[in-house]
Amino acid sequence: MEGDINVVRLDIEDDNLGLEPEECCETVEACNNKKRPKLLTSQCWKFFTKIGLKDDGNEKAKCDGCGQEYKIGGTYGTSHLHRHIDRSNGGT
């Protein structure tokens, strides 16, 4: 039957939409503030470990080989981490 449209009606009057209380946020603001952790897709993370915020307020990562700390997050990217790997580990 070409051209037919299937309509599905949802009952959205229920506050938690069938979720358990711990699965549902209490407010819209609380749901919007819950972010998924960002995936670390760069190959440099095989050689670095995130160590979190330091006293200076910057998030840092530590080289697993030599222990050098670098700023990460925001606009820092991972290019400087790749350069460190190339220079210190011979690109291995």
Side-chain angles (χ1 to χ4, degrees):
M1 298 196 163
E2 291 181 39
D4 288 346
I5 298 174
N6 292 330
V7 177
V8 177
R9 300 183 73 65
L10 298 175
D11 182 15
I12 58 172
E13 292 182 18
D14 188 14
D15 286 342
N16 65 6
L17 299 174
L19 298 174
E20 294 298 320
E22 63 273 2
E23 295 176 319
C24 184
C25 301
E26 292 180 16
T27 64
V28 172
E29 291 81 18
C31 286
N32 289 339
N33 290 334
K34 291 184 177 181
K35 291 184 176 181
R36 287 189 338 209
K38 193 171 186 177
L39 294 177
L40 303 178
T41 58
S42 176
Q43 294 297 310
C44 72
W45 294 114
K46 293 179 181 179
F47 303 96
F48 283 87
T49 302
K50 284 181 124 180
I51 55 177
L53 290 176
K54 297 297 276 190
D55 294 335
D56 61 1
N58 292 312
E59 190 174 7
K60 302 260 180 134
K62 185 176 183 178
C63 175
D64 295 335
C66 70
Q68 178 72 34
E69 293 181 3
Y70 288 90
K71 291 180 184 178
I72 59 170
T75 60
Y76 290 104
T78 57
S79 294
H80 61 303
L81 303 179
H82 286 284
R83 281 191 300 273
H84 174 76
I85 294 166
D86 290 340
R87 290 180 186 150
S88 64
N89 298 331
T92 58

